[in-house]
Amino acid sequence: MATRHLAPLPLPLFKSLSPLKPLLPPRTQTLLPPLRSSSISPMASPPSKKVLVPIANGTEPMEAVITIDVLRRAGSDVTVASVEKDLRVDACWGIKLVADALVSDCADSAFDLISLPGGMPGSANLKDCKVLENMVKKHAEKGGLYAAICAAPAVALGSWGLLNGLKATCYPSFMEKLPSEATAVESRVQVDGKAVTSRGAGTAIEFSLILVEKLYGKDKADEVAGPMVMRPQHDVEFVLRELNSVEWKCNGAPKILVPVANGSEEMEAVIIIDVLRRAKADVTVASVEDKLEIVASRKVKLLADMLLDDALKMQYDLIVLPGGLGGAQAFSNSEKLIALLKKQAESNKLYGAICASPAIALEPHGLLKGKKATAYPAMCNKLADQSDCENRVVVDSNLITSRGPGTAMEFSLGIVEKLFGREKALNLAKTLVF
């Protein structure tokens, strides 16, 4: 059907419309009481849902952080609870998370959803926590929504008897460990009754959006997904838009700096760090703040490896900036980081950025001059050259840029491809169930 552009309504017609008369189909109007000027008020937001995300030493950080981030985007009141003795948790791949509370402090609280991240031995540590086991069992008995991803469906939910008689999925190598009382399926996300299960880090965003849908409805899930620049298809290989191709060479394991700041987008930061460490890169996470702990854009607390001042004592093959508006602005305001990036670019060394950072941290300091780049859709108007903005990942010589949380996996795998080759990147994508 051809698209028609309608002319604006003439002013007299606008004047003829009463501001109190509901512009609804007649059938819908008959269901509503008459509106009075004294009764008009803004539409109330749906009540916030309470969610528990337990974490443990050995938890897969991508799966934990993506779930927390997406559910908080939907307005959920998410409590991140440690099953360890301390709030700090040493997740997989050297990533350090700080919980909001201990699980024991949450034992008497009611939740609308309890969602378990995967990872090993994280899933086993969740399974062995009796307080958590009792909480999830009572929650399920009351008809509450519960979920798990990666190894956790088989290792935790399955061993607790909470998948009996249900269809469930999990990480491919754990499928045989699902209990015989469950029906194993290879769905990326499987919903059966009040149980939601999923396969791995590469399915974590889909998993989280299904949880949003179960809590708030499809419209809310679509609303949350829209700004994330989601991948349109899952059954195709990721692609790069590459111009002025050069070989990315390193002596030994690539040394990579990932700066973080208050307001950094936690999904993007954690996906980049996690994927590059899986690929055996030597990744240093440096805080541009005055302490190691940063509070990311959706209030996830991350611990950096060192402060930026200490990180400046070393040299890097690649510097990669995660996005998040507050974090990108902090990067832009850091004279030391910008000086390091300029030195990196002038030496034809590798650098990159995702989401808001290309537009907020790189562009204003001349770090995109003469380069093709992309950025978060709403930020592309800040780029001097917007000709490649619609591409999900853009490589121009020694620069790599990308668009947002939904492209962060492709961005990270693109870095792996340039550093280690396409075959390694594709094998890693398969491992991630991406």
Side-chain angles (χ1 to χ4, degrees):
M1 181 182 294
T3 302
R4 288 173 32 182
H5 298 280
L6 302 179
L9 290 172
L11 186 59
L13 182 53
F14 277 120
K15 286 184 177 179
S16 70
L17 299 176
S18 165
L20 301 182
K21 185 175 180 179
L23 297 176
L24 299 170
R27 185 175 169 191
T28 308
Q29 290 185 31
T30 61
L31 301 177
L32 300 174
L35 289 174
R36 294 183 183 145
S37 58
S38 61
S39 67
I40 295 176
S41 60
M43 185 178 292
S45 299
S48 176
K49 302 290 187 178
K50 293 189 68 177
V51 178
L52 180 72
V53 178
I55 56 175
N57 291 334
T59 285
E60 211 312 309
M62 276 195 275
E63 294 162 3
V65 168
I66 289 169
T67 303
I68 298 160
D69 186 319
V70 171
L71 287 166
R72 284 181 174 164
R73 285 171 180 258
S76 294
D77 176 7
V78 180
T79 300
V80 184
S82 168
V83 304
E84 309 296 341
K85 294 179 180 178
D86 301 310
L87 293 178
R88 172 183 157 163
V89 163
D90 293 319
C92 295
W93 311 108
I95 294 175
K96 296 174 276 290
L97 305 175
V98 181
D100 305 318
L102 299 177
V103 160
S104 54
D105 297 330
C106 306
D108 297 325
S109 301
F111 295 94
D112 297 289
L113 164 66
I114 301 177
S115 183
L116 312 186
M120 286 297 285
S123 298
N125 290 334
L126 296 181
K127 179 203 74 170
D128 292 339
C129 177
K130 289 298 179 185
V131 174
L132 179 63
E133 179 182 352
N134 291 334
M135 287 178 69
V136 181
K137 283 181 173 178
K138 288 178 182 177
H139 176 78
E141 286 169 6
K142 294 178 181 177
L145 184 67
Y146 58 100
I149 187 171
C150 194
V155 173
L157 294 186
S159 67
W160 295 339
L162 294 176
L163 297 180
N164 292 353
L166 301 177
K167 292 180 180 178
T169 191
C170 66
Y171 191 71
S173 63
F174 280 79
M175 290 292 280
E176 293 181 357
K177 293 180 171 62
L178 284 169
S180 58
E181 295 85 355
T183 302
V185 293
E186 294 187 357
S187 309
R188 292 178 65 83
V189 183
Q190 180 63 46
V191 180
D192 193 342
K194 294 293 185 177
V196 183
T197 52
S198 189
R199 307 215 81 188
T203 69
I205 294 181
E206 300 151 71
F207 169 70
S208 304
L209 288 169
I210 290 292
L211 296 180
V212 173
E213 182 176 339
K214 296 295 287 182
L215 289 173
Y216 298 99
K218 183 70 164 60
D219 288 348
K220 186 66 175 181
D222 290 343
E223 177 190 320
V224 172
M228 289 169 57
V229 202
M230 293 291 292
R231 196 174 189 215
Q233 289 178 281
H234 296 291
D235 56 351
V236 295
E237 291 184 3
F238 71 92
V239 294
L240 309 176
R241 161 74 166 152
E242 185 161 17
L243 310 103
N244 304 310
S245 179
V246 296
E247 186 179 353
W248 288 15
K249 293 181 180 179
C250 304
N251 293 321
K255 296 186 181 301
I256 300 175
L257 176 66
V258 180
V260 292
N262 292 333
S264 286
E265 214 303 317
E266 45 268 85
M267 259 196 280
E268 295 164 358
V270 167
I271 289 171
I272 292 165
I273 299 161
D274 189 317
V275 171
L276 293 178
R277 283 181 173 163
R278 284 173 184 257
K280 309 302 183 190
D282 180 3
V283 179
T284 297
V285 183
S287 168
V288 304
E289 309 294 344
D290 57 5
K291 59 181 182 178
L292 293 178
E293 184 178 316
I294 65 105
V295 181
S297 61
R298 264 79 198 180
K299 309 305 179 188
V300 170
K301 303 183 198 83
L302 302 172
L303 274 181
D305 302 321
M306 62 184 68
L307 299 178
L308 181 63
D309 281 349
D310 295 320
L312 293 174
K313 298 171 185 176
M314 298 177 280
Q315 295 200 351
Y316 302 94
D317 298 299
L318 168 66
I319 302 172
V320 188
L321 308 184
L325 187 56
Q329 194 61 62
F331 298 153
S332 185
N333 294 341
S334 171
E335 293 181 3
K336 292 176 180 178
L337 178 59
I338 294 303
L340 180 65
L341 283 162
K342 286 183 175 178
K343 185 177 178 182
Q344 190 85 356
E346 288 162 3
S347 304
N348 287 320
K349 286 188 168 184
L350 312 172
Y351 64 108
I354 187 172
C355 194
S357 285
I360 301 298
L362 299 185
E363 179 70 53
H365 297 285
L367 288 160
L368 296 183
K369 189 174 182 181
K371 299 281 192 183
K372 299 288 186 181
T374 189
Y376 188 69
M379 298 283 170
C380 279
N381 60 359
K382 297 182 183 297
L383 301 182
D385 183 346
Q386 300 171 30
S387 58
D388 276 274
C389 266
E390 295 302 315
N391 291 292
R392 295 175 67 79
V393 183
V394 177
V395 181
D396 188 345
S397 184
N398 60 328
L399 170 71
I400 184 168
T401 53
S402 191
R403 309 212 78 189
T407 71
M409 193 76 80
E410 293 149 87
F411 176 62
S412 305
L413 290 169
I415 294 171
V416 173
E417 177 177 344
K418 289 298 297 179
L419 291 172
F420 299 98
R422 180 77 176 171
E423 184 178 354
K424 182 160 185 174
L426 291 176
N427 288 336
L428 186 51
K430 184 177 180 180
T431 301
L432 292 163
V433 202
F434 185 68

